[in-house]
Amino acid sequence: MGEKSMAFRILKWAFHQRWLTWSKKIHGYLMKGFAKLADRGDANAQELYGFLLLFKGADDASRTAGAHYLLRCVSVDRPKVCWQLHRLYQQGKVVGFKQDSARAESYLTLAKQAGHPLALDLPLP
């Protein structure tokens, strides 16, 4: 197990300890830790941090950054990421991710290959 994955596992454990994240200061340190790992190329951190920013980001810039982190780790091994990118391009509601049916379809195909249950229920256009 690499250094990055151990660091990610520790951060993720701490992030899920409610008593630790009540403090805004500690929460901020944890988020900075995820950001640092994501920026160094840890795909697990990119996925988690990307989803956190996309769905809990305070503003459009945070949500856009979250979507960009998801783009950096997209693969057939990450069905949730594939599905989310399909939805982003299908809806076009995130700044910098305008509606694009061709991209939405390509990520839907990838999500189907990855076995995402919602993707498997949809026919390809």
Side-chain angles (χ1 to χ4, degrees):
M1 180 175 309
E3 177 184 322
K4 287 182 190 175
S5 19
M6 180 59 84
F8 174 76
R9 287 176 49 194
I10 291 168
L11 278 172
K12 186 176 175 187
W13 174 85
F15 190 75
H16 286 96
Q17 303 306 306
R18 184 167 222 171
W19 60 274
L20 276 175
T21 56
W22 281 11
S23 162
K24 286 185 180 185
K25 188 174 184 177
I26 293 174
H27 184 270
Y29 286 137
L30 293 172
M31 292 298 284
K32 285 179 186 176
F34 285 128
K36 185 181 274 190
L37 287 175
D39 289 340
R40 289 182 182 167
D42 185 308
N44 291 323
Q46 290 169 339
E47 181 176 358
L48 180 63
Y49 190 56
F51 275 116
L52 287 171
L53 289 175
L54 182 63
F55 289 108
K56 301 290 185 180
D59 54 22
D60 286 340
S62 296
R63 288 184 283 280
T64 299
H68 282 287
Y69 278 109
L70 295 180
L71 275 175
R72 291 172 61 183
C73 71
V74 66
S75 78
V76 74
D77 298 329
R78 299 185 181 281
K80 292 177 186 176
V81 173
C82 300
W83 174 256
Q84 192 58 53
L85 289 170
H86 156 70
R87 299 291 292 156
L88 287 172
Y89 283 111
Q90 182 185 47
Q91 296 170 345
K93 294 182 180 177
V94 173
V95 176
F97 289 78
K98 65 181 181 178
Q99 206 169 17
D100 184 332
S101 59
R103 283 187 177 180
E105 185 178 330
S106 70
Y107 287 117
L108 176 59
T109 301
L110 197 56
K112 284 180 176 284
Q113 291 172 358
H116 192 282
L118 295 174
L120 294 173
D121 289 343
L122 290 179
L124 283 173

